[in-house]
PDB file of all heavy atoms in Angstrom:
ATOM      1  N   ASP A 311     123.200  93.996 -32.966  1.00 98.00           N
ATOM      2  CA  ASP A 311     123.300  92.491 -32.668  1.00 98.00           C
ATOM      3  C   ASP A 311     122.328  92.197 -31.592  1.00 98.00           C
ATOM      4  O   ASP A 311     121.792  90.930 -31.624  1.00 98.00           O
ATOM      5  CB  ASP A 311     124.792  92.260 -32.100  1.00 98.00           C
ATOM      6  CG  ASP A 311     125.842  92.187 -33.263  1.00 98.00           C
ATOM      7  OD1 ASP A 311     125.443  92.117 -34.513  1.00 98.00           O
ATOM      8  OD2 ASP A 311     127.008  92.366 -32.916  1.00 98.00           O
ATOM      9  N   ALA A 312     122.025  93.021 -30.667  1.00 98.00           N
ATOM     10  CA  ALA A 312     121.001  92.670 -29.654  1.00 98.00           C
ATOM     11  C   ALA A 312     119.557  92.438 -30.398  1.00 98.00           C
ATOM     12  O   ALA A 312     118.940  91.458 -29.780  1.00 98.00           O
ATOM     13  CB  ALA A 312     120.933  93.838 -28.568  1.00 98.00           C
ATOM     14  N   GLU A 313     119.347  93.241 -31.275  1.00 98.00           N
ATOM     15  CA  GLU A 313     117.998  93.158 -31.969  1.00 98.00           C
ATOM     16  C   GLU A 313     118.009  92.098 -33.056  1.00 98.00           C
ATOM     17  O   GLU A 313     116.889  91.893 -33.767  1.00 98.00           O
ATOM     18  CB  GLU A 313     117.556  94.484 -32.399  1.00 98.00           C
ATOM     19  CG  GLU A 313     117.333  95.433 -31.202  1.00 98.00           C
ATOM     20  CD  GLU A 313     116.591  96.720 -31.658  1.00 98.00           C
ATOM     21  OE1 GLU A 313     116.718  97.241 -32.882  1.00 98.00           O
ATOM     22  OE2 GLU A 313     115.962  97.353 -30.730  1.00 98.00           O
ATOM     23  N   SER A 314     119.013  91.334 -33.274  1.00 98.00           N
ATOM     24  CA  SER A 314     119.188  90.334 -34.341  1.00 98.00           C
ATOM     25  C   SER A 314     118.708  88.978 -33.791  1.00 98.00           C
ATOM     26  O   SER A 314     119.041  88.639 -32.587  1.00 98.00           O
ATOM     27  CB  SER A 314     120.612  90.264 -34.863  1.00 98.00           C
ATOM     28  OG  SER A 314     120.860  88.996 -35.397  1.00 98.00           O
ATOM     29  N   ASP A 315     118.221  88.084 -34.620  1.00 97.00           N
ATOM     30  CA  ASP A 315     117.800  86.727 -34.254  1.00 97.00           C
ATOM     31  C   ASP A 315     119.051  85.863 -34.104  1.00 97.00           C
ATOM     32  O   ASP A 315     118.981  84.722 -33.495  1.00 97.00           O
ATOM     33  CB  ASP A 315     116.993  86.095 -35.262  1.00 97.00           C
ATOM     34  CG  ASP A 315     115.532  86.686 -35.236  1.00 97.00           C
ATOM     35  OD1 ASP A 315     115.011  87.077 -34.082  1.00 97.00           O
ATOM     36  OD2 ASP A 315     114.848  86.788 -36.270  1.00 97.00           O
ATOM     37  N   ALA A 316     120.261  86.289 -34.685  1.00 97.00           N
ATOM     38  CA  ALA A 316     121.327  85.312 -34.840  1.00 97.00           C
ATOM     39  C   ALA A 316     121.988  85.157 -33.437  1.00 97.00           C
ATOM     40  O   ALA A 316     122.153  86.114 -32.623  1.00 97.00           O
ATOM     41  CB  ALA A 316     122.426  86.065 -35.660  1.00 97.00           C
ATOM     42  N   SER A 317     122.342  83.879 -33.071  1.00 97.00           N
ATOM     43  CA  SER A 317     122.939  83.557 -31.832  1.00 97.00           C
ATOM     44  C   SER A 317     124.532  83.697 -31.942  1.00 97.00           C
ATOM     45  O   SER A 317     125.119  83.664 -30.905  1.00 97.00           O
ATOM     46  CB  SER A 317     122.677  82.047 -31.432  1.00 97.00           C
ATOM     47  OG  SER A 317     121.232  81.910 -31.306  1.00 97.00           O
ATOM     48  N   LEU A 318     124.996  83.829 -33.184  1.00 96.00           N
ATOM     49  CA  LEU A 318     126.495  84.035 -33.258  1.00 96.00           C
ATOM     50  C   LEU A 318     126.629  85.458 -33.890  1.00 96.00           C
ATOM     51  O   LEU A 318     125.837  85.769 -34.886  1.00 96.00           O
ATOM     52  CB  LEU A 318     127.022  83.064 -34.240  1.00 96.00           C
ATOM     53  CG  LEU A 318     127.625  81.786 -33.625  1.00 96.00           C
ATOM     54  CD1 LEU A 318     126.578  80.811 -33.385  1.00 96.00           C
ATOM     55  CD2 LEU A 318     128.755  81.181 -34.400  1.00 96.00           C
ATOM     56  N   ALA A 319     127.377  86.344 -33.306  1.00 96.00           N
ATOM     57  CA  ALA A 319     127.670  87.652 -33.934  1.00 96.00           C
ATOM     58  C   ALA A 319     128.430  87.495 -35.164  1.00 96.00           C
ATOM     59  O   ALA A 319     129.161  86.578 -35.479  1.00 96.00           O
ATOM     60  CB  ALA A 319     128.552  88.478 -32.943  1.00 96.00           C
ATOM     61  N   PRO A 320     128.043  88.369 -36.162  1.00 96.00           N
ATOM     62  CA  PRO A 320     128.584  88.251 -37.552  1.00 96.00           C
ATOM     63  C   PRO A 320     130.194  88.089 -37.588  1.00 96.00           C
ATOM     64  O   PRO A 320     130.673  87.489 -38.581  1.00 96.00           O
ATOM     65  CB  PRO A 320     128.156  89.429 -38.254  1.00 96.00           C
ATOM     66  CG  PRO A 320     127.465  90.411 -37.232  1.00 96.00           C
ATOM     67  CD  PRO A 320     127.152  89.524 -36.028  1.00 96.00           C
ATOM     68  N   TYR A 321     130.845  88.721 -36.622  1.00 97.00           N
ATOM     69  CA  TYR A 321     132.350  88.719 -36.652  1.00 97.00           C
ATOM     70  C   TYR A 321     132.884  87.528 -36.009  1.00 97.00           C
ATOM     71  O   TYR A 321     134.260  87.397 -35.990  1.00 97.00           O
ATOM     72  CB  TYR A 321     132.824  90.002 -36.085  1.00 97.00           C
ATOM     73  CG  TYR A 321     132.186  90.333 -34.723  1.00 97.00           C
ATOM     74  CD1 TYR A 321     132.642  89.615 -33.471  1.00 97.00           C
ATOM     75  CD2 TYR A 321     131.211  91.256 -34.640  1.00 97.00           C
ATOM     76  CE1 TYR A 321     132.057  89.908 -32.378  1.00 97.00           C
ATOM     77  CE2 TYR A 321     130.565  91.579 -33.399  1.00 97.00           C
ATOM     78  CZ  TYR A 321     131.004  90.946 -32.299  1.00 97.00           C
ATOM     79  OH  TYR A 321     130.374  91.102 -31.116  1.00 97.00           O
ATOM     80  N   MET A 322     132.213  86.636 -35.335  1.00 96.00           N
ATOM     81  CA  MET A 322     132.740  85.457 -34.663  1.00 96.00           C
ATOM     82  C   MET A 322     133.358  84.542 -35.752  1.00 96.00           C
ATOM     83  O   MET A 322     132.693  84.306 -36.709  1.00 96.00           O
ATOM     84  CB  MET A 322     131.721  84.823 -33.793  1.00 96.00           C
ATOM     85  CG  MET A 322     131.388  85.650 -32.583  1.00 96.00           C
ATOM     86  SD  MET A 322     130.238  84.676 -31.594  1.00 96.00           S
ATOM     87  CE  MET A 322     129.892  85.727 -30.133  1.00 96.00           C
ATOM     88  N   ASP A 323     134.453  83.963 -35.402  1.00 95.00           N
ATOM     89  CA  ASP A 323     135.157  83.029 -36.346  1.00 95.00           C
ATOM     90  C   ASP A 323     135.631  81.833 -35.495  1.00 95.00           C
ATOM     91  O   ASP A 323     136.729  81.742 -35.045  1.00 95.00           O
ATOM     92  CB  ASP A 323     136.216  83.745 -36.963  1.00 95.00           C
ATOM     93  CG  ASP A 323     137.104  82.665 -37.920  1.00 95.00           C
ATOM     94  OD1 ASP A 323     136.550  81.577 -38.212  1.00 95.00           O
ATOM     95  OD2 ASP A 323     138.103  83.142 -38.442  1.00 95.00           O
ATOM     96  N   LEU A 324     134.632  80.853 -35.402  1.00 94.00           N
ATOM     97  CA  LEU A 324     135.006  79.713 -34.591  1.00 94.00           C
ATOM     98  C   LEU A 324     136.046  78.767 -35.101  1.00 94.00           C
ATOM     99  O   LEU A 324     136.682  77.959 -34.381  1.00 94.00           O
ATOM    100  CB  LEU A 324     133.660  78.850 -34.306  1.00 94.00           C
ATOM    101  CG  LEU A 324     132.856  79.328 -33.118  1.00 94.00           C
ATOM    102  CD1 LEU A 324     132.397  80.782 -33.127  1.00 94.00           C
ATOM    103  CD2 LEU A 324     131.536  78.505 -32.944  1.00 94.00           C
ATOM    104  N   SER A 325     136.351  78.984 -36.360  1.00 93.00           N
ATOM    105  CA  SER A 325     137.418  78.148 -36.959  1.00 93.00           C
ATOM    106  C   SER A 325     138.811  78.466 -36.391  1.00 93.00           C
ATOM    107  O   SER A 325     139.717  77.694 -36.424  1.00 93.00           O
ATOM    108  CB  SER A 325     137.484  78.406 -38.519  1.00 93.00           C
ATOM    109  OG  SER A 325     137.983  79.612 -38.739  1.00 93.00           O
ATOM    110  N   GLN A 326     138.838  79.585 -35.660  1.00 94.00           N
ATOM    111  CA  GLN A 326     140.018  79.929 -35.003  1.00 94.00           C
ATOM    112  C   GLN A 326     140.315  79.158 -33.662  1.00 94.00           C
ATOM    113  O   GLN A 326     141.373  79.103 -33.094  1.00 94.00           O
ATOM    114  CB  GLN A 326     140.130  81.399 -34.520  1.00 94.00           C
ATOM    115  CG  GLN A 326     140.198  82.395 -35.778  1.00 94.00           C
ATOM    116  CD  GLN A 326     140.404  83.727 -35.288  1.00 94.00           C
ATOM    117  OE1 GLN A 326     141.169  84.179 -34.444  1.00 94.00           O
ATOM    118  NE2 GLN A 326     139.523  84.666 -35.830  1.00 94.00           N
TER     119      GLN A 326
END
Side-chain angles (χ1 to χ4, degrees):
D311 286 343
E313 294 190 335
S314 157
D315 287 325
S317 296
L318 271 82
Y321 48 80
M322 286 180 182
D323 176 12
L324 273 54
S325 72
Q326 291 185 48

